[in-house]
Coordinates of all heavy atoms in Angstrom, one line a residue:
Chain A
H13 N 68.8 123.7 79.8 CA 69.6 124.9 80.2 C 70.7 124.5 81.3 O 70.6 125.0 82.5 CB 68.7 126.1 80.7 CG 67.7 126.4 79.8 ND1 68.0 127.0 78.5 CD2 66.4 126.4 79.7 CE1 66.9 127.2 77.8 NE2 65.8 127.0 78.6
P14 N 71.6 123.7 80.9 CA 72.4 123.2 82.0 C 73.5 124.3 82.5 O 73.9 124.1 83.6 CB 73.3 122.0 81.3 CG 73.1 122.4 79.9 CD 71.8 123.0 79.8
M15 N 73.6 125.3 81.7 CA 74.6 126.4 82.1 C 73.8 127.6 82.8 O 74.6 128.4 83.2 CB 75.3 126.8 80.9 CG 75.9 125.7 80.1 SD 76.9 124.5 81.1 CE 78.4 125.4 81.1
E16 N 72.6 127.7 82.8 CA 72.0 128.8 83.3 C 72.2 129.0 84.8 O 72.4 130.1 85.4 CB 70.4 128.5 83.4 CG 69.7 129.8 82.8 CD 68.2 129.5 82.6 OE1 67.5 129.4 83.8 OE2 67.7 129.3 81.5
Q17 N 72.5 127.8 85.5 CA 72.9 127.9 87.0 C 74.1 128.7 87.2 O 74.3 129.1 88.4 CB 73.0 126.5 87.5 CG 74.1 125.7 86.7 CD 74.2 124.2 87.3 OE1 74.1 124.1 88.5 NE2 74.4 123.3 86.6
F18 N 75.0 128.9 86.3 CA 76.2 129.6 86.5 C 76.3 131.1 86.3 O 77.2 131.7 86.2 CB 77.4 128.9 85.6 CG 77.6 127.5 85.8 CD1 77.2 126.6 84.8 CD2 77.9 126.9 87.0 CE1 77.4 125.2 85.0 CE2 78.0 125.6 87.3 CZ 77.9 124.8 86.3
T19 N 74.9 131.5 85.7 CA 74.9 133.0 85.4 C 75.0 133.9 86.6 O 74.6 133.5 87.6 CB 73.4 133.2 84.9 OG1 73.1 132.1 83.9 CG2 73.4 134.4 84.1
L20 N 75.7 134.9 86.4 CA 76.0 135.9 87.5 C 74.7 136.9 87.5 O 74.4 137.3 86.4 CB 77.2 136.6 87.3 CG 78.3 136.2 88.2 CD1 79.0 135.0 87.6 CD2 79.3 137.4 88.4
E21 N 74.2 137.1 88.7 CA 73.1 138.1 88.7 C 73.4 139.0 89.7 O 73.9 138.6 90.9 CB 71.7 137.4 88.9 CG 71.1 136.8 87.7 CD 70.4 135.5 87.9 OE1 70.1 135.3 89.0 OE2 70.0 134.8 87.0
P22 N 73.0 140.3 89.6 CA 73.2 141.4 90.7 C 72.3 140.9 91.8 O 71.2 140.4 91.7 CB 72.7 142.6 90.2 CG 72.8 142.4 88.7 CD 72.4 140.9 88.4
L23 N 72.8 141.0 93.1 CA 71.8 140.6 94.2 C 70.8 141.7 94.4 O 69.6 141.2 94.8 CB 72.7 140.7 95.5 CG 73.6 139.4 95.8 CD1 74.1 139.6 97.3 CD2 72.7 138.3 95.9
F24 N 71.0 142.9 94.1 CA 70.0 143.9 94.3 C 69.6 144.6 93.0 O 70.5 144.9 92.3 CB 70.3 145.0 95.2 CG 71.1 144.4 96.6 CD1 72.4 144.5 96.7 CD2 70.1 143.8 97.5 CE1 73.0 144.0 97.8 CE2 70.7 143.3 98.6 CZ 72.2 143.3 98.8
G25 N 68.4 144.6 92.6 CA 67.9 145.2 91.4 C 68.3 144.3 90.1 O 68.7 143.2 90.4
D26 N 68.3 144.9 88.9 CA 68.6 144.3 87.7 C 69.5 144.9 86.9 O 69.5 144.8 85.6 CB 67.2 143.9 87.0 CG 67.4 142.9 86.1 OD1 68.2 142.0 86.3 OD2 66.4 142.7 85.2
G27 N 70.3 145.8 87.4 CA 71.2 146.7 86.5 C 72.4 145.9 86.0 O 72.5 144.7 86.3
P28 N 73.3 146.6 85.3 CA 74.5 145.9 84.8 C 75.4 145.5 85.9 O 75.4 146.1 86.9 CB 75.1 147.1 83.8 CG 74.5 148.3 84.5 CD 73.3 148.1 85.2
I29 N 76.3 144.6 85.6 CA 77.3 144.1 86.6 C 78.6 144.9 86.5 O 79.4 144.7 85.6 CB 77.5 142.6 86.4 CG1 76.2 141.8 86.7 CG2 78.6 142.2 87.4 CD1 76.2 140.4 86.4

Side-chain angles (χ1 to χ4, degrees):
Chain A
H13 299 302
M15 308 310 274
E16 227 178 73
Q17 56 180 323
F18 303 118
T19 315
L20 255 84
E21 278 149 9
L23 274 186
F24 312 106
D26 201 19
I29 296 171

